[in-house]
Amino acid sequence: MNIQFYAKNVELTQNLKDYVDEKIGSLDKYNFGITECKVDISKSSHHQKGDVYRFEVNITSSHKKGLIRIVVDSNNIMSAIDEAKDKLGRQITKYKK
């Protein structure tokens, strides 16, 4: 799966890219016909409780020409990625039914 990355106020390291690719790439098991995947990672530091990471995924599918969008806000980028993967799995399952 080809994932397009966009990062704002976050250093997009190879480890982070690999982690996203591993988690989001595992969605291929749903046979949803993913044609495009865009990932937006950003960090906002103006919150009173510290840094808040925003992880957004937009997936385009050839299955009924579907589009799925998930947005997760968290204080830890890795947990945001994990939560987004779980939400995407649930959305794809709903969309296929």
Side-chain angles (χ1 to χ4, degrees):
M1 175 187 317
N2 185 21
I3 300 175
Q4 298 173 2
F5 290 93
Y6 173 76
K8 181 179 178 185
N9 298 327
V10 175
E11 183 180 347
L12 195 57
T13 64
Q14 190 60 42
N15 288 339
L16 186 58
K17 284 184 179 181
D18 292 342
Y19 191 75
V20 170
D21 193 38
E22 174 189 336
K23 295 297 181 177
I24 302 301
S26 70
L27 297 172
D28 283 338
K29 69 182 177 187
Y30 291 101
N31 295 323
F32 191 56
I34 297 172
T35 57
E36 184 177 50
C37 180
K38 294 181 181 178
V39 171
D40 183 8
I41 304 170
S42 60
K43 179 176 78 170
S44 177
S45 59
H46 67 275
H47 295 274
Q48 293 178 354
K49 295 183 179 182
D51 294 338
V52 174
Y53 293 93
R54 179 182 182 95
F55 186 76
E56 179 180 332
V57 182
N58 293 300
I59 291 179
T60 306
S61 170
S62 60
H63 183 76
K64 298 182 185 177
K65 300 195 186 314
L67 173 69
I68 295 178
R69 180 174 184 262
I70 298 291
V71 178
V72 177
D73 293 324
S74 177
N75 59 353
N76 182 330
I77 189 62
M78 297 302 183
S79 64
I81 295 167
D82 292 338
E83 185 179 341
K85 177 197 167 262
D86 295 340
K87 285 184 175 184
L88 281 167
R90 288 191 298 271
Q91 287 293 328
I92 290 172
T93 303
K94 281 184 189 178
Y95 194 83
K96 286 180 77 173
K97 292 181 181 181

